[in-house]
PDB file of all heavy atoms in Angstrom:
ATOM      1  N   LEU A   1    -144.411 169.222-222.950  1.00  0.00           N
ATOM      2  CA  LEU A   1    -143.597 169.645-221.949  1.00  0.00           C
ATOM      3  C   LEU A   1    -142.101 169.649-222.213  1.00  0.00           C
ATOM      4  O   LEU A   1    -141.302 169.810-221.237  1.00  0.00           O
ATOM      5  CB  LEU A   1    -143.914 168.548-220.869  1.00  0.00           C
ATOM      6  CG  LEU A   1    -145.372 168.392-220.328  1.00  0.00           C
ATOM      7  CD1 LEU A   1    -145.551 167.474-219.111  1.00  0.00           C
ATOM      8  CD2 LEU A   1    -145.834 169.710-219.857  1.00  0.00           C
ATOM      9  N   GLN A   2    -141.801 169.249-223.400  1.00  0.00           N
ATOM     10  CA  GLN A   2    -140.264 169.098-223.691  1.00  0.00           C
ATOM     11  C   GLN A   2    -139.629 170.468-223.940  1.00  0.00           C
ATOM     12  O   GLN A   2    -140.389 171.389-224.485  1.00  0.00           O
ATOM     13  CB  GLN A   2    -140.081 168.150-224.918  1.00  0.00           C
ATOM     14  CG  GLN A   2    -140.621 166.850-224.859  1.00  0.00           C
ATOM     15  CD  GLN A   2    -140.340 166.086-223.460  1.00  0.00           C
ATOM     16  OE1 GLN A   2    -139.085 166.138-223.220  1.00  0.00           O
ATOM     17  NE2 GLN A   2    -141.070 165.393-222.887  1.00  0.00           N
ATOM     18  N   PRO A   3    -138.499 170.697-223.579  1.00  0.00           N
ATOM     19  CA  PRO A   3    -137.854 171.933-223.896  1.00  0.00           C
ATOM     20  C   PRO A   3    -137.821 172.326-225.412  1.00  0.00           C
ATOM     21  O   PRO A   3    -137.562 171.262-226.167  1.00  0.00           O
ATOM     22  CB  PRO A   3    -136.360 171.888-223.371  1.00  0.00           C
ATOM     23  CG  PRO A   3    -136.529 170.822-222.316  1.00  0.00           C
ATOM     24  CD  PRO A   3    -137.597 169.893-222.753  1.00  0.00           C
ATOM     25  N   GLY A   4    -138.184 173.456-225.786  1.00  0.00           N
ATOM     26  CA  GLY A   4    -138.190 173.804-227.217  1.00  0.00           C
ATOM     27  C   GLY A   4    -139.518 173.523-227.826  1.00  0.00           C
ATOM     28  O   GLY A   4    -139.584 173.753-229.152  1.00  0.00           O
ATOM     29  N   VAL A   5    -140.543 173.025-227.152  1.00  0.00           N
ATOM     30  CA  VAL A   5    -141.675 172.716-227.802  1.00  0.00           C
ATOM     31  C   VAL A   5    -142.828 173.792-227.186  1.00  0.00           C
ATOM     32  O   VAL A   5    -142.919 173.849-226.007  1.00  0.00           O
ATOM     33  CB  VAL A   5    -142.234 171.285-227.468  1.00  0.00           C
ATOM     34  CG1 VAL A   5    -143.608 171.001-228.158  1.00  0.00           C
ATOM     35  CG2 VAL A   5    -141.135 170.308-227.949  1.00  0.00           C
ATOM     36  N   THR A   6    -143.608 174.344-228.103  1.00  0.00           N
ATOM     37  CA  THR A   6    -144.630 175.219-227.617  1.00  0.00           C
ATOM     38  C   THR A   6    -145.964 174.557-227.269  1.00  0.00           C
ATOM     39  O   THR A   6    -146.054 173.279-227.586  1.00  0.00           O
ATOM     40  CB  THR A   6    -144.967 176.349-228.704  1.00  0.00           C
ATOM     41  OG1 THR A   6    -145.664 175.613-229.851  1.00  0.00           O
ATOM     42  CG2 THR A   6    -143.703 176.923-229.342  1.00  0.00           C
ATOM     43  N   PRO A   7    -146.798 175.083-226.581  1.00  0.00           N
ATOM     44  CA  PRO A   7    -148.109 174.444-226.221  1.00  0.00           C
ATOM     45  C   PRO A   7    -148.896 173.920-227.450  1.00  0.00           C
ATOM     46  O   PRO A   7    -149.701 173.093-227.271  1.00  0.00           O
ATOM     47  CB  PRO A   7    -148.820 175.573-225.442  1.00  0.00           C
ATOM     48  CG  PRO A   7    -147.807 176.435-224.898  1.00  0.00           C
ATOM     49  CD  PRO A   7    -146.767 176.513-225.839  1.00  0.00           C
ATOM     50  N   GLY A   8    -148.726 174.647-228.448  1.00  0.00           N
ATOM     51  CA  GLY A   8    -149.387 174.265-229.829  1.00  0.00           C
ATOM     52  C   GLY A   8    -148.560 173.107-230.378  1.00  0.00           C
ATOM     53  O   GLY A   8    -149.078 172.757-231.612  1.00  0.00           O
ATOM     54  N   GLY A   9    -147.480 172.607-230.060  1.00  0.00           N
ATOM     55  CA  GLY A   9    -146.792 171.499-230.707  1.00  0.00           C
ATOM     56  C   GLY A   9    -145.769 171.969-231.641  1.00  0.00           C
ATOM     57  O   GLY A   9    -145.150 171.171-232.411  1.00  0.00           O
ATOM     58  N   PHE A  10    -145.351 173.228-231.688  1.00  0.00           N
ATOM     59  CA  PHE A  10    -144.296 173.740-232.612  1.00  0.00           C
ATOM     60  C   PHE A  10    -142.941 173.479-231.958  1.00  0.00           C
ATOM     61  O   PHE A  10    -142.689 173.860-230.728  1.00  0.00           O
ATOM     62  CB  PHE A  10    -144.450 175.241-232.844  1.00  0.00           C
ATOM     63  CG  PHE A  10    -145.619 175.642-233.564  1.00  0.00           C
ATOM     64  CD1 PHE A  10    -146.825 175.734-233.034  1.00  0.00           C
ATOM     65  CD2 PHE A  10    -145.648 175.750-235.036  1.00  0.00           C
ATOM     66  CE1 PHE A  10    -147.990 176.025-233.730  1.00  0.00           C
ATOM     67  CE2 PHE A  10    -146.783 176.013-235.758  1.00  0.00           C
ATOM     68  CZ  PHE A  10    -147.964 176.179-235.105  1.00  0.00           C
ATOM     69  N   THR A  11    -142.136 172.750-232.710  1.00  0.00           N
ATOM     70  CA  THR A  11    -140.806 172.243-232.100  1.00  0.00           C
ATOM     71  C   THR A  11    -139.652 172.968-232.692  1.00  0.00           C
ATOM     72  O   THR A  11    -139.383 172.868-234.040  1.00  0.00           O
ATOM     73  CB  THR A  11    -140.671 170.750-232.208  1.00  0.00           C
ATOM     74  OG1 THR A  11    -141.744 170.055-231.681  1.00  0.00           O
ATOM     75  CG2 THR A  11    -139.351 170.336-231.661  1.00  0.00           C
ATOM     76  N   ALA A  12    -138.918 173.724-231.902  1.00  0.00           N
ATOM     77  CA  ALA A  12    -137.711 174.446-232.480  1.00  0.00           C
ATOM     78  C   ALA A  12    -137.994 175.242-233.799  1.00  0.00           C
ATOM     79  O   ALA A  12    -137.249 175.213-234.626  1.00  0.00           O
ATOM     80  CB  ALA A  12    -136.578 173.407-232.573  1.00  0.00           C
ATOM     81  N   GLY A  13    -139.190 175.918-233.763  1.00  0.00           N
ATOM     82  CA  GLY A  13    -139.459 176.619-235.022  1.00  0.00           C
ATOM     83  C   GLY A  13    -140.164 175.811-236.173  1.00  0.00           C
ATOM     84  O   GLY A  13    -140.697 176.430-237.020  1.00  0.00           O
ATOM     85  N   ALA A  14    -140.224 174.559-236.002  1.00  0.00           N
ATOM     86  CA  ALA A  14    -140.836 173.747-236.994  1.00  0.00           C
ATOM     87  C   ALA A  14    -142.360 173.698-236.719  1.00  0.00           C
ATOM     88  O   ALA A  14    -142.907 173.361-235.652  1.00  0.00           O
ATOM     89  CB  ALA A  14    -140.273 172.174-237.083  1.00  0.00           C
ATOM     90  N   ILE A  15    -143.283 173.634-237.830  1.00  0.00           N
ATOM     91  CA  ILE A  15    -144.697 173.799-237.638  1.00  0.00           C
ATOM     92  C   ILE A  15    -145.186 172.388-237.050  1.00  0.00           C
ATOM     93  O   ILE A  15    -144.466 171.287-237.257  1.00  0.00           O
ATOM     94  CB  ILE A  15    -145.370 173.940-238.887  1.00  0.00           C
ATOM     95  CG1 ILE A  15    -146.967 174.435-238.582  1.00  0.00           C
ATOM     96  CG2 ILE A  15    -145.296 172.823-239.823  1.00  0.00           C
ATOM     97  CD1 ILE A  15    -147.582 174.991-239.749  1.00  0.00           C
ATOM     98  N   ASN A  16    -146.204 172.341-236.411  1.00  0.00           N
ATOM     99  CA  ASN A  16    -146.658 171.080-235.686  1.00  0.00           C
ATOM    100  C   ASN A  16    -146.973 169.937-236.570  1.00  0.00           C
ATOM    101  O   ASN A  16    -147.237 168.902-236.130  1.00  0.00           O
ATOM    102  CB  ASN A  16    -147.793 171.394-234.599  1.00  0.00           C
ATOM    103  CG  ASN A  16    -148.893 172.225-235.197  1.00  0.00           C
ATOM    104  OD1 ASN A  16    -149.173 172.292-236.347  1.00  0.00           O
ATOM    105  ND2 ASN A  16    -149.754 172.695-234.206  1.00  0.00           N
ATOM    106  N   ASP A  17    -147.314 170.238-237.863  1.00  0.00           N
ATOM    107  CA  ASP A  17    -147.622 169.121-238.741  1.00  0.00           C
ATOM    108  C   ASP A  17    -146.344 168.391-239.092  1.00  0.00           C
ATOM    109  O   ASP A  17    -146.411 167.398-239.828  1.00  0.00           O
ATOM    110  CB  ASP A  17    -148.444 169.428-239.908  1.00  0.00           C
ATOM    111  CG  ASP A  17    -147.545 170.345-240.893  1.00  0.00           C
ATOM    112  OD1 ASP A  17    -146.481 170.703-240.504  1.00  0.00           O
ATOM    113  OD2 ASP A  17    -148.112 170.788-241.877  1.00  0.00           O
ATOM    114  N   GLN A  18    -145.355 168.836-238.548  1.00  0.00           N
ATOM    115  CA  GLN A  18    -143.956 167.989-238.931  1.00  0.00           C
ATOM    116  C   GLN A  18    -143.522 167.196-237.780  1.00  0.00           C
ATOM    117  O   GLN A  18    -142.425 166.535-237.706  1.00  0.00           O
ATOM    118  CB  GLN A  18    -142.843 169.058-239.055  1.00  0.00           C
ATOM    119  CG  GLN A  18    -142.943 169.924-240.368  1.00  0.00           C
ATOM    120  CD  GLN A  18    -142.746 169.041-241.506  1.00  0.00           C
ATOM    121  OE1 GLN A  18    -141.874 168.258-241.625  1.00  0.00           O
ATOM    122  NE2 GLN A  18    -143.824 169.039-242.443  1.00  0.00           N
ATOM    123  N   ASN A  19    -144.439 167.004-236.705  1.00  0.00           N
ATOM    124  CA  ASN A  19    -144.215 166.007-235.654  1.00  0.00           C
ATOM    125  C   ASN A  19    -144.559 164.641-236.134  1.00  0.00           C
ATOM    126  O   ASN A  19    -145.466 164.389-236.837  1.00  0.00           O
ATOM    127  CB  ASN A  19    -144.991 166.303-234.464  1.00  0.00           C
ATOM    128  CG  ASN A  19    -144.780 167.643-233.864  1.00  0.00           C
ATOM    129  OD1 ASN A  19    -143.646 168.092-234.004  1.00  0.00           O
ATOM    130  ND2 ASN A  19    -145.741 168.378-233.372  1.00  0.00           N
ATOM    131  N   THR A  20    -143.776 163.767-235.789  1.00  0.00           N
ATOM    132  CA  THR A  20    -143.949 162.262-236.160  1.00  0.00           C
ATOM    133  C   THR A  20    -144.189 161.527-234.819  1.00  0.00           C
ATOM    134  O   THR A  20    -143.563 161.568-233.812  1.00  0.00           O
ATOM    135  CB  THR A  20    -142.543 161.665-236.787  1.00  0.00           C
ATOM    136  OG1 THR A  20    -142.405 162.442-237.975  1.00  0.00           O
ATOM    137  CG2 THR A  20    -142.718 160.202-237.076  1.00  0.00           C
ATOM    138  N   PHE A  21    -145.225 160.581-234.911  1.00  0.00           N
ATOM    139  CA  PHE A  21    -145.604 159.823-233.861  1.00  0.00           C
ATOM    140  C   PHE A  21    -145.593 158.215-234.268  1.00  0.00           C
ATOM    141  O   PHE A  21    -146.053 157.867-235.430  1.00  0.00           O
ATOM    142  CB  PHE A  21    -147.184 159.989-233.471  1.00  0.00           C
ATOM    143  CG  PHE A  21    -147.290 161.387-232.967  1.00  0.00           C
ATOM    144  CD1 PHE A  21    -147.586 162.515-233.830  1.00  0.00           C
ATOM    145  CD2 PHE A  21    -147.263 161.713-231.673  1.00  0.00           C
ATOM    146  CE1 PHE A  21    -147.829 163.762-233.317  1.00  0.00           C
ATOM    147  CE2 PHE A  21    -147.388 163.000-231.095  1.00  0.00           C
ATOM    148  CZ  PHE A  21    -147.812 164.046-231.968  1.00  0.00           C
ATOM    149  N   THR A  22    -144.866 157.577-233.427  1.00  0.00           N
ATOM    150  CA  THR A  22    -144.896 155.996-233.628  1.00  0.00           C
ATOM    151  C   THR A  22    -145.355 155.281-232.467  1.00  0.00           C
ATOM    152  O   THR A  22    -145.100 155.760-231.248  1.00  0.00           O
ATOM    153  CB  THR A  22    -143.365 155.596-233.898  1.00  0.00           C
ATOM    154  OG1 THR A  22    -142.569 155.724-232.777  1.00  0.00           O
ATOM    155  CG2 THR A  22    -142.932 156.295-235.217  1.00  0.00           C
ATOM    156  N   LEU A  23    -146.055 154.236-232.680  1.00  0.00           N
ATOM    157  CA  LEU A  23    -146.676 153.357-231.546  1.00  0.00           C
ATOM    158  C   LEU A  23    -146.300 151.950-231.824  1.00  0.00           C
ATOM    159  O   LEU A  23    -146.679 151.411-232.820  1.00  0.00           O
ATOM    160  CB  LEU A  23    -148.203 153.726-231.534  1.00  0.00           C
ATOM    161  CG  LEU A  23    -148.882 152.713-230.554  1.00  0.00           C
ATOM    162  CD1 LEU A  23    -148.615 153.261-229.091  1.00  0.00           C
ATOM    163  CD2 LEU A  23    -150.424 152.906-230.747  1.00  0.00           C
ATOM    164  N   ASP A  24    -145.467 151.411-230.878  1.00  0.00           N
ATOM    165  CA  ASP A  24    -144.980 149.944-231.018  1.00  0.00           C
ATOM    166  C   ASP A  24    -144.346 149.793-232.324  1.00  0.00           C
ATOM    167  O   ASP A  24    -144.541 148.780-233.004  1.00  0.00           O
ATOM    168  CB  ASP A  24    -146.177 148.981-230.822  1.00  0.00           C
ATOM    169  CG  ASP A  24    -146.759 149.044-229.388  1.00  0.00           C
ATOM    170  OD1 ASP A  24    -146.002 149.461-228.466  1.00  0.00           O
ATOM    171  OD2 ASP A  24    -147.946 148.737-229.213  1.00  0.00           O
ATOM    172  N   GLY A  25    -143.631 150.811-232.834  1.00  0.00           N
ATOM    173  CA  GLY A  25    -142.874 150.691-234.218  1.00  0.00           C
ATOM    174  C   GLY A  25    -143.689 151.073-235.323  1.00  0.00           C
ATOM    175  O   GLY A  25    -143.089 151.293-236.418  1.00  0.00           O
ATOM    176  N   GLY A  26    -145.020 151.186-235.183  1.00  0.00           N
ATOM    177  CA  GLY A  26    -145.813 151.602-236.390  1.00  0.00           C
ATOM    178  C   GLY A  26    -146.114 153.182-236.470  1.00  0.00           C
ATOM    179  O   GLY A  26    -146.169 153.813-235.421  1.00  0.00           O
ATOM    180  N   ASN A  27    -146.223 153.632-237.695  1.00  0.00           N
ATOM    181  CA  ASN A  27    -146.421 155.053-237.803  1.00  0.00           C
ATOM    182  C   ASN A  27    -147.807 155.450-237.308  1.00  0.00           C
ATOM    183  O   ASN A  27    -148.872 154.880-237.762  1.00  0.00           O
ATOM    184  CB  ASN A  27    -146.356 155.378-239.282  1.00  0.00           C
ATOM    185  CG  ASN A  27    -146.502 156.889-239.559  1.00  0.00           C
ATOM    186  OD1 ASN A  27    -146.239 157.657-238.644  1.00  0.00           O
ATOM    187  ND2 ASN A  27    -146.742 157.301-240.774  1.00  0.00           N
ATOM    188  N   ASN A  28    -147.949 156.374-236.321  1.00  0.00           N
ATOM    189  CA  ASN A  28    -149.109 156.853-235.804  1.00  0.00           C
ATOM    190  C   ASN A  28    -149.416 158.250-236.128  1.00  0.00           C
ATOM    191  O   ASN A  28    -150.213 159.026-235.644  1.00  0.00           O
ATOM    192  CB  ASN A  28    -149.039 156.765-234.296  1.00  0.00           C
ATOM    193  CG  ASN A  28    -150.425 156.796-233.641  1.00  0.00           C
ATOM    194  OD1 ASN A  28    -151.385 156.372-234.311  1.00  0.00           O
ATOM    195  ND2 ASN A  28    -150.501 157.323-232.411  1.00  0.00           N
ATOM    196  N   SER A  29    -148.683 158.761-237.224  1.00  0.00           N
ATOM    197  CA  SER A  29    -148.960 160.150-237.701  1.00  0.00           C
ATOM    198  C   SER A  29    -149.949 160.150-238.730  1.00  0.00           C
ATOM    199  O   SER A  29    -150.095 159.073-239.522  1.00  0.00           O
ATOM    200  CB  SER A  29    -147.547 160.655-238.335  1.00  0.00           C
ATOM    201  OG  SER A  29    -146.587 160.643-237.256  1.00  0.00           O
ATOM    202  N   ASP A  30    -150.629 161.294-238.881  1.00  0.00           N
ATOM    203  CA  ASP A  30    -151.732 161.247-239.982  1.00  0.00           C
ATOM    204  C   ASP A  30    -150.911 162.003-241.210  1.00  0.00           C
ATOM    205  O   ASP A  30    -150.863 163.240-241.443  1.00  0.00           O
ATOM    206  CB  ASP A  30    -152.773 162.172-239.600  1.00  0.00           C
ATOM    207  CG  ASP A  30    -154.116 162.164-240.442  1.00  0.00           C
ATOM    208  OD1 ASP A  30    -153.836 161.709-241.673  1.00  0.00           O
ATOM    209  OD2 ASP A  30    -155.097 162.562-240.077  1.00  0.00           O
ATOM    210  N   ASP A  31    -150.435 161.137-242.044  1.00  0.00           N
ATOM    211  CA  ASP A  31    -149.662 161.607-243.226  1.00  0.00           C
ATOM    212  C   ASP A  31    -150.604 161.902-244.408  1.00  0.00           C
ATOM    213  O   ASP A  31    -150.098 162.565-245.292  1.00  0.00           O
ATOM    214  CB  ASP A  31    -148.672 160.541-243.696  1.00  0.00           C
ATOM    215  CG  ASP A  31    -147.631 160.180-242.595  1.00  0.00           C
ATOM    216  OD1 ASP A  31    -147.398 161.029-241.948  1.00  0.00           O
ATOM    217  OD2 ASP A  31    -147.287 158.962-242.545  1.00  0.00           O
ATOM    218  N   MET A  32    -151.838 161.654-244.376  1.00  0.00           N
ATOM    219  CA  MET A  32    -152.744 161.930-245.477  1.00  0.00           C
ATOM    220  C   MET A  32    -153.320 163.454-245.436  1.00  0.00           C
ATOM    221  O   MET A  32    -153.354 164.056-246.355  1.00  0.00           O
ATOM    222  CB  MET A  32    -153.807 160.978-245.510  1.00  0.00           C
ATOM    223  CG  MET A  32    -153.414 159.630-245.828  1.00  0.00           C
ATOM    224  SD  MET A  32    -152.624 159.291-247.337  1.00  0.00           S
ATOM    225  CE  MET A  32    -153.753 159.583-248.398  1.00  0.00           C
ATOM    226  N   SER A  33    -153.794 163.774-244.177  1.00  0.00           N
ATOM    227  CA  SER A  33    -154.385 165.085-244.108  1.00  0.00           C
ATOM    228  C   SER A  33    -153.482 166.302-243.881  1.00  0.00           C
ATOM    229  O   SER A  33    -153.868 167.437-244.070  1.00  0.00           O
ATOM    230  CB  SER A  33    -155.407 165.047-242.961  1.00  0.00           C
ATOM    231  OG  SER A  33    -154.775 164.967-241.669  1.00  0.00           O
TER     232      SER A  33
END
């Protein structure tokens, strides 16, 4: 829903596997796959 983000998660031209998720300070991204 943020400006510059597509429905598939592409942010300002960056592919969606470049999104980073943190939960309570811990990394919640899947960095392995």
Side-chain angles (χ1 to χ4, degrees):
L1 300 181
Q2 308 303 316
V5 182
T6 69
F10 295 81
T11 303
I15 195 169
N16 50 12
D17 67 358
Q18 290 297 308
N19 297 328
T20 299
F21 297 86
T22 63
L23 177 62
D24 294 329
N27 184 19
N28 197 32
S29 305
D30 191 346
D31 296 327
M32 298 299 294
S33 65

